Amino acid sequence: MITAVRKPLNEIIEMVVPYEKILVTGCGTCVTIDYSGGAKEAAILASQLRIARRLGGKKLETLEQTVERQCEWEFVKEFTDHAAECQAIISMACGAGIQTVAAAFPDKPVFPGVNTRFIGMPQKQGVWEERCICCGNCVLHLTGGLCPFARCAKTLLNGPCEGSQDGKCEVNRELDCVWQQIYDSLKERGRLADLQKIFPLRDWSTGEDGGYRITVREDMML
Amino acid sequence: MNANSGLKKLLAKEEFVVIAGIGIPRGAAFKPLEERYKLLEKKVNAFYIPDNPGANVHLLGLAAAVHLEKLGGETVLELNCRDRNRIAIQSYILGAAALGIPNLLFSTGDHQTLGNFRGAKRVYDVDLTQAIQVARGMRDDKKFSNDEEVAQPPSIFIGAEANPFADPFEFRAALMAKKVEAGADFVQTRAVFDLKRFGKWIKLVRQQEPLQKTPILAGIMPLVSVEQAKSLQEAPGMIVPDSLIQRLESSSKPEEEGVKIAREIITEVKKMQGVRGIVLHASGMESLVPDLIK
């Protein structure tokens, strides 16, 4: 899933200072599951903004609406009526959703209500971990099912750096060294010989380094 | 101009080599470098020029190396994978060789968040093994990493950083074999404090067929105070045994004790098979070097 965290309240308060009526929009998919930008979080944010405004002696009206996915035109269209009533929109979707809303309502200022963090998974209740950097050229079958790009701070492909110690990353002792994990995983599978192979230079242009990416599927076009 | 490596010749002659790391200034002047150089002039075989160590900005290593070469000191110039992509690495190799820098030491580079520029964007386009492979390809196959021809191949002696004190320990010798297979002519280690661990690593290295002839230069760092030793103990990839810290604590002159410890370590590593020299990690402590290598 795409994970996000709510932006600090004061930052959002500052963004919407000029407006008296705003639409706070939630997204019903990833950010609902990670408790950062679903219907409940949209309601909480709207309420916090109203209280803050009232404490400052001024008035703020809010509308709230959550759709299934803010990253699709069909769903964001559902905001049309509420958007027409408001001066500005806060989107609590991931960056893809926020941009879809901004493009769908070009006459309204659209503000991000969350900071999008990464593609990851809930490791346990309340803890999400990054798993994928969308490199566009997956190697997980070679690395024991552990991604050296998402989980190694130096995106190394030929083994650990010189700072890996006691299974921990040099960047932060709270982080596991994925190369220790890859080593353990391949050892368990009797595949340590795989690590002796030198992986050649990577073509990073399949990822974010190749410019912004568009997937075209002619077989799916209408 | 492509220089011939004096280091390569000394290693071929089976001579024990002494390289001194030199502190690189953090300003736009060579004077502090010259002062440090004078303390070490003619006392060591070569100077190791670290590349923005600790992920902090220092004067460009290439500039420092050129200056030392002009003064008469042979240099081993570090080139990390943190600050440069494959375009910059290959351009740097050509530039260094053309300027007469004979030895390049490839490293991964301390992560940028460990230094004072935490917000810097990472590079790590190529990893250490790949960087060595690229350098070897430019020199021996006259090819850039994209297979285009190198007009004038760089004559460089290629070194690789290795750390016997990092984990997974059982993989460290095999990892070194990868670097040598990629093209490393010699290996330089992080500072040795834990002789037992270093000895175990050497044993594993000796078991790796491709490493039988690879010269290993052991890193040596003087401990000068209890505080410094304790902070090294906390640093990623370092092992400083408690017994050494106790020796410093119980000494009235910890710096002298530290030099004594370093000399003991030098004596021990010298006996180990494959260890063909030492690299003194003594940036900012250059005045201790003459005592260390007496």
Side-chain angles (χ1 to χ4, degrees), chain A residues 161-162 164 166 170 195 202, chain B residues 86 111 163 167 172 178:
Chain A
C161 74
E162 288 64 49
S164 165
D166 302 322
E170 84 168 17
L195 289 184
R202 250 180 97 71
Chain B
R86 67 192 70 178
H111 194 265
N163 188 1
D167 291 316
R172 288 285 151 183
K178 264 180 106 159

Side-chain angles (χ1 to χ4, degrees), chain A residues 17-222:
Chain A
V17 163
Y19 311 105
E20 287 171 353
K21 189 167 183 180
I22 57 174
L23 171 61
V24 181
T25 67
C27 180
T29 307
C30 306
V31 291
T32 290
I33 300 167
D34 83 351
Y35 313 106
S36 60
K40 191 176 114 191
E41 291 74 29
I44 292 169
L45 175 61
S47 167
Q48 287 175 317
L49 290 173
R50 288 194 307 270
I51 292 167
R53 190 66 70 87
R54 201 177 305 149
L55 285 171
K58 289 181 180 163
K59 207 183 132 200
L60 177 72
E61 264 188 83
T62 58
L63 295 178
E64 297 150 31
Q65 189 177 357
T66 296
V67 296
E68 187 67 23
R69 278 189 293 284
Q70 287 197 21
C71 54
E72 292 191 57
W73 299 123
E74 289 79 0
F75 291 114
V76 297
K77 265 188 211 158
E78 294 173 24
F79 293 139
T80 305
D81 292 346
H82 278 358
E85 284 184 54
C86 295
Q87 298 161 313
I89 303 170
I90 294 175
S91 165
M92 298 189 73
C94 72
I98 298 166
Q99 291 181 63
T100 312
V101 173
F105 301 99
D107 58 331
K108 302 283 176 193
V110 174
F111 298 100
V114 300
N115 290 321
T116 307
R117 298 214 67 205
F118 48 77
I119 292 184
M121 46 92 67
Q123 180 66 333
K124 57 184 179 183
Q125 181 64 22
V127 178
W128 290 264
E129 285 189 9
E130 185 168 12
R131 287 292 180 265
C132 178
I133 61 163
C134 307
C135 72
N137 187 6
C138 194
V139 296
L140 284 167
H141 58 301
L142 303 172
T143 54
L146 297 133
C147 180
F149 309 129
R151 298 164 78 171
C152 169
K154 301 179 183 178
T155 62
L156 304 180
L157 193 50
N158 278 295
C161 74
E162 288 64 49
S164 165
Q165 213 165 29
D166 302 322
K168 297 296 175 186
C169 172
E170 84 168 17
V171 166
N172 179 343
R173 294 287 158 192
E174 303 290 311
L175 300 176
D176 292 326
C177 169
V178 77
W179 273 103
Q180 176 76 54
Q181 295 175 317
I182 291 170
Y183 178 84
D184 294 342
S185 167
L186 292 180
K187 189 177 178 183
E188 203 176 302
R189 292 165 167 81
R191 283 176 47 202
L192 276 184
D194 291 7
L195 289 184
Q196 280 314 114
K197 181 178 162 263
I198 297 175
F199 287 97
L201 269 64
R202 250 180 97 71
D203 177 0
W204 294 106
S205 73
T206 56
E208 62 176 20
D209 296 287
Y212 105 89
R213 289 169 275 174
I214 300 173
T215 301
V216 178
R217 287 272 308 268
E218 285 185 9
D219 58 324
M220 297 302 293
M221 286 176 154
L222 295 174

Side-chain angles (χ1 to χ4, degrees), chain B residues 207-283:
Chain B
Q207 289 166 9
Q208 292 276 339
E209 189 57 34
L211 302 182
Q212 297 308 313
K213 286 183 182 160
T214 306
I216 296 167
L217 307 177
I220 303 290
M221 187 188 285
L223 297 172
V224 289
S225 68
V226 174
E227 296 72 37
Q228 175 232 20
K230 283 188 174 167
S231 88
L232 286 173
Q233 222 174 14
E234 297 300 313
M238 303 285 271
I239 299 180
V240 182
D242 288 335
S243 59
L244 298 186
I245 292 182
Q246 281 156 13
R247 277 180 64 178
L248 296 174
E249 276 171 340
S250 55
S251 166
S252 56
K253 290 178 181 163
E255 193 174 294
E256 281 180 20
E257 186 65 18
V259 169
K260 203 174 150 207
I261 291 169
R263 291 178 61 164
E264 289 167 14
I265 294 171
I266 294 171
T267 306
E268 289 307 311
V269 298
K270 251 181 152 171
K271 295 178 197 160
M272 294 181 191
Q273 223 185 348
V275 177
R276 305 285 311 286
I278 51 172
V279 177
L280 301 159
H281 296 278
S283 297

